[in-house]
Amino acid sequence: MALDPGTLSQLIGTIRRFVDERLIPAETEVAESDAIPDEIVAGMRDLGLFGLTAPEDYGGLGLTMEEEVLAVFELGRAAPAFRSMFATNVGIGMQGIAIDGTPEQKAKYLPGLASGDIIGSFALTEPEVGSDAGSVRTTARREGDAYVLNGTKRFITNATHASLFTVMARTDPSQKGAAGVSAFAVERGTPGLSTGKVEKKMGQQGAHVCDVIFEDCRVPASALIGGVEGQGFKTAMKVLDKGRLHIAAACVGLSERILDDMLAYAVGRRQFGRPLADFQLLQAMFADSKADAYAARCMVLDAARKRDAGEDVSVEASCAKMFASEAVGRIADRNVQVHGGNGYIREYRAEQLYRDARLFRIYEGTTQIQQIIIAKALTAEAKARAGL
Ligand code: COS
């Protein structure tokens, strides 16, 4: 249910202060230690960030998509590793159960996910299955009242801290594509489930990814999300439609933050006897960055409102994710350029945010996958109009 305008603006104001006073000042420490301090995680819990989107009946704030993106515009202003800490609970690690789970699964897991006592993680990608998500090789073999999982999942965000995994596995080996895939809620501690070493990444230090390995991992049949086999790929796609809007909103927040940094540096730094901000060649970069960030903000809000109105927004979510992630890449690159030599030096945060932003064009579907989703829908509509 939508919050009343006063409560919403209070929430957004509180988040903005948390970002400015707690998260941004801790960015260097988090990047260097590759860990988010416990007191910051506790602050996230206190603010209800883990439960932003969990339904109210289960202890969450139950934000609408529009409210969620407004919150994420603010949260996205801090280095992206902070958002990753609670974002799997808000999005991909929780939504499979929230959207398609049985009443029992919702009652069992959503309250813990909403409070942050359970960290949820989304296990779709595999060593040989990235963009081609329908080709999942991890298997789930039915044995009596259980399923036995075997396979490896890769680049799984928060897997090291997670206590619950939404796992896509093939229940029907005779179906090679999406139709043979099912989704499972698998708890850490289940014998046969282990996690691999934490990967060293280009950026976003403080956010962790690693493999999740299943070796004859036996889960009860009740772990099958929704209780119906063959629906797992669709569950994953529904989760990603929402997740892509969330990511696009995070890109907007980071774009706006980087533009602020760019301008602050340009007004303070002098060359040829004048502030950098007075030079027209740099002013073009400010203007292009503002237009990029503003366009991305408008797209995300429009798509979010359409989703709240019950429309299918697969195409809009892909447009927003593609545009906003490419835009933040351009803006982060211009910021390094405006900073000149200092842009290449660790002490100035331009280079960190440039590396951090790079991932947005890859995860939750690469730019090329978004192009395919958009173009497939457009050509199908055109063919239908032409009676083909
Ligand atoms: N919502 C609900 N159902 C959807 C859907 C959506 N957004 N998108 C597809 N489906 C359904 C289709 O309708 C189809 O159902 P039917 O078989 O009943 O007709 C089924 O799912 C298969 O769809 P499709 O044929 O489009 O699947 P493809 O194998 O061609 O894959 C892409 C489509 C490439 C778009 C998909 O694999 C994808 O998104 N890949 C990227 C994965 C990704 O983002 N990975 C990042 C890691 S996760 S953080």
Side-chain angles (χ1 to χ4, degrees):
M1 202 181 72
L3 299 177
D4 67 75
T7 311
L8 178 62
S9 92
Q10 206 176 8
L11 174 70
I12 301 297
T14 309
I15 291 176
R16 192 174 181 88
R17 277 194 301 283
F18 183 69
V19 168
D20 286 336
E21 292 167 13
R22 303 281 304 278
L23 303 190
I24 292 178
E27 281 176 345
T28 303
E29 179 195 344
V30 167
E32 282 173 7
S33 64
D34 194 18
I36 300 179
D38 289 345
E39 61 272 18
I40 289 187
V41 179
M44 291 171 175
R45 279 206 181 88
D46 292 346
L47 265 184
L49 297 184
F50 288 89
L52 288 178
T53 58
E56 281 172 287
D57 290 350
Y58 298 99
L61 289 179
L63 297 191
T64 63
M65 193 74 230
E66 182 178 353
E67 292 164 346
E68 179 183 344
V69 301
L70 289 170
V72 177
F73 288 161
E74 297 303 329
L75 291 160
R77 289 169 49 249
F82 292 108
R83 190 198 56 85
S84 272
M85 187 73 219
F86 54 83
T88 50
N89 278 40
V90 169
I92 55 179
M94 187 273 287
Q95 289 296 336
I97 294 171
I99 296 173
D100 281 339
T102 62
E104 293 74 25
Q105 288 163 346
K106 291 181 188 180
K108 187 170 181 191
Y109 297 121
L110 291 182
L113 286 163
S115 65
D117 291 335
I118 296 176
I119 300 294
S121 196
F122 181 74
L124 171 63
T125 300
E126 300 181 357
E128 303 299 329
V129 177
S131 291
D132 184 9
S135 294
V136 162
R137 292 183 182 183
T138 295
T139 55
R141 192 179 67 249
R142 181 85 194 220
E143 274 188 15
D145 59 359
Y147 287 91
V148 180
L149 273 63
N150 278 288
T152 299
K153 296 292 178 179
R154 180 139 298 170
F155 307 141
I156 306 307
T157 301
N158 281 340
T160 42
H161 331 285
S163 35
L164 180 67
F165 299 86
T166 298
V167 183
M168 264 48 70
R170 188 166 300 282
T171 38
D172 184 352
S174 69
Q175 296 262 17
K176 293 289 170 229
V181 177
S182 303
F184 293 88
V186 183
E187 296 175 15
R188 183 184 290 279
T190 309
L193 185 160
S194 59
T195 47
K197 68 172 173 40
V198 174
E199 301 288 355
K200 292 196 171 108
K201 311 193 299 326
M202 175 194 276
Q204 302 207 7
Q205 274 67 35
H208 302 138
V209 298
C210 67
D211 282 0
V212 182
I213 302 134
F214 300 93
E215 290 165 306
D216 288 332
C217 175
R218 182 177 289 269
V219 297
S222 59
L224 177 65
I225 293 179
V228 185
E229 287 187 10
Q231 296 300 308
F233 181 81
K234 289 182 187 172
T235 297
M237 291 299 114
K238 285 185 256 182
V239 166
L240 286 172
D241 278 348
K242 189 164 166 30
R244 286 166 183 161
L245 275 176
H246 177 111
I247 292 289
C251 293
V252 170
L254 192 60
S255 294
E256 294 175 349
R257 148 76 186 285
I258 295 177
L259 178 55
D260 286 347
D261 286 359
M262 194 190 301
L263 289 163
Y265 184 81
V267 296
R269 164 103 174 154
R270 297 177 73 85
Q271 288 292 284
F272 302 102
R274 284 192 290 163
L276 290 185
D278 288 358
F279 292 97
Q280 286 193 338
L281 291 175
L282 298 194
Q283 287 177 353
M285 294 193 206
F286 311 149
D288 288 350
S289 299
K290 175 66 188 174
D292 271 342
Y294 179 54
R297 178 179 266 267
C298 293
M299 281 175 97
V300 172
L301 273 172
D302 178 67
R305 287 177 185 140
K306 285 187 169 140
R307 189 176 189 282
D308 286 336
E311 291 183 36
D312 175 353
V313 293
S314 287
V315 168
E316 286 81 358
S318 288
C319 289
K321 201 275 183 181
M322 175 174 80
F323 185 84
S325 63
E326 293 287 336
V328 73
R330 290 191 290 273
I331 295 168
D333 183 63
R334 291 179 197 127
N335 189 37
V336 172
Q337 198 67 15
V338 168
H339 277 72
N342 287 334
Y344 209 67
I345 300 297
R346 181 102 359 138
E347 185 187 331
Y348 294 81
R349 233 158 287 165
E351 70 85 32
Q352 182 198 323
L353 297 179
Y354 173 80
R355 287 183 288 105
D356 285 353
R358 189 62 184 83
L359 185 56
F360 284 124
R361 288 150 66 188
I362 298 172
Y363 66 0
E364 299 205 20
T366 60
T367 289
Q368 290 66 36
I369 285 296
Q370 311 311 331
Q371 289 172 321
I372 285 167
I373 293 170
I374 299 162
K376 202 169 158 185
L378 291 179
T379 48
E381 277 168 26
K383 283 182 184 166
R385 276 199 301 277
L388 297 168

